[in-house]
Amino acid sequence: MKLIIGLGNPGKTYEHTHHNVGFDTIDVLAAKWGISLNQSKFNGMYGTIHRPEGKVMLLKPLTYMNISGECVGPIMDYFDIDVEDIIVIYDDLDLDKGKLRLRQKGSAGGHNGIKSLIQHLGTQNFNRIRIGISRPPAGMKVSDYVLSRFSKEDQPLMQDAFEKAADACEYALEKPFIDVMNQFN
């Protein structure tokens, strides 16, 4: 089984914020595939689909961002999912808004959700799709920025990024992740 994880924070307050680009991309995939995330386990909402490439699970950890690993680790153990069969989608302050960067491994780069995943999975070697959100404007705290919503002007750009990230996930079901990186980076 493949597992596609979108990182974010639960609840209406955090919907469509900079920090929730992972959730937004999971929503795009779920709509495209016609599935609901209507199952719950280990403080995460998920849905599964049988595709020609095999069974795929879409997951939104409902822990807060900084402890995402507390959901993902137990889900992977319970469903016996190997680390090479996951893709994690999350926000990146160091990439321009709407840009994608795919990697097979790496440090957390200061992202607390990824720190938690590394801690709970015991490795930095997992596939990831980072979606650029840019740095906050001068004088704005990072914590306030990541929890704010995209401007009306930025929404089409970000929706396009979510669509491209969803396309990359679909491509990864058929091809090695190195090929996906070459196609989408």
Side-chain angles (χ1 to χ4, degrees):
M1 179 171 11
K2 302 286 185 185
L3 173 60
I4 302 172
I5 305 150
L7 299 187
N9 285 312
K12 288 269 185 223
T13 305
Y14 302 106
E15 277 183 358
H16 310 299
T17 61
H18 290 84
H19 229 11
N20 275 35
V21 299
F23 278 18
D24 290 332
T25 302
I26 292 293
D27 290 342
V28 167
L29 277 168
K32 195 173 190 181
W33 294 347
I35 65 170
S36 298
L37 275 65
N38 57 7
Q39 296 171 291
S40 178
K41 210 175 254 339
F42 304 110
N43 208 6
M45 291 299 300
Y46 67 94
T48 56
I49 185 171
H50 293 276
R51 293 182 44 92
E53 307 88 356
K55 192 171 181 183
V56 183
M57 177 188 291
L58 301 178
L59 172 67
K60 290 182 183 179
L62 298 182
T63 55
Y64 284 85
M65 175 69 80
N66 295 352
I67 55 173
S68 297
E70 291 182 14
C71 167
V72 175
I75 288 267
M76 288 176 64
D77 289 344
Y78 183 83
F79 289 102
D80 196 27
I81 300 169
D82 293 326
V83 75
E84 35 302 322
D85 290 325
I86 71 170
I87 299 173
V88 181
I89 308 161
Y90 62 101
D91 60 293
D92 191 324
L93 288 163
D94 294 321
L95 287 175
D96 290 340
K97 236 174 243 161
K99 292 276 188 203
L100 299 186
R101 179 72 35 86
L102 286 68
R103 292 285 179 260
Q104 290 182 294
K105 61 184 177 185
S107 71
H111 194 287
N112 290 328
I114 297 300
K115 281 182 192 170
S116 177
L117 283 177
I118 290 169
Q119 177 187 0
H120 284 84
L121 302 181
T123 183
Q124 299 184 69
N125 299 336
F126 52 86
N127 300 325
R128 40 188 97 189
I129 300 175
R130 299 175 356 222
I131 300 176
I133 61 169
S134 299
R135 288 261 160 202
M140 186 176 200
K141 291 188 337 191
V142 168
S143 57
D144 292 337
Y145 177 71
V146 297
L147 298 179
S148 69
R149 289 188 167 79
F150 292 102
S151 69
K152 202 168 224 41
E153 298 79 35
D154 286 337
Q155 288 172 7
L157 172 71
M158 295 311 298
Q159 187 60 39
D160 186 51
F162 305 149
E163 300 281 345
K164 283 182 183 160
D167 290 346
C169 290
E170 281 189 312
Y171 196 67
L173 298 177
E174 303 171 6
K175 302 283 185 186
F177 203 73
I178 191 82
D179 293 349
V180 183
M181 289 166 54
N182 290 334
Q183 180 76 23
F184 287 90
N185 271 337

